[in-house]
Amino acid sequence: MAIRDADFKRMAELLKLGASMLSESCPECKVPLFKLKNDVFCPLCNRKFILVKSDEELSRAATDLSLRSLEKIAVSKLEELGDLVSATTNPDKQFELVSLISMWLDVLGKLRNLTSKKE
Ligand SMILES: [Zn+2]
């Protein structure tokens, strides 16, 4: 089954709602399962899944790990950019740097939102 644009939109929508994408996939649709609150389901066929506790914890740990390494990258980029901003007096350069800072802050906010959603 091919994934259509509408399906991608639905997945993006779910992520915005705070759902997390799991490493397990739907045996039918072959797409990653999503977890919203305590529900694990396939974004395409809407079938619900119950993950055995250890598997869930495994996937949670794996997801956390990759999110945390991304978080570290975002923080180090922000530090670098902060140094660059204070070192430059050129307004164009400052504008460019501040736009990048804003972008990374956005990324960081999303990552923190995802990792804090774990109950
Ligand atoms: Zn499915």
Side-chain angles (χ1 to χ4, degrees), residues 26 28-29 42 44-45:
C26 174
E28 202 79 39
C29 314
C42 168
L44 299 200
C45 62

Side-chain angles (χ1 to χ4, degrees), residues 23-24 52-64:
S23 50
E24 287 84 4
V52 274
K53 202 168 189 328
S54 60
D55 274 1
E56 184 185 11
E57 268 160 15
L58 191 70
S59 94
R60 205 179 268 199
T63 309
D64 267 1

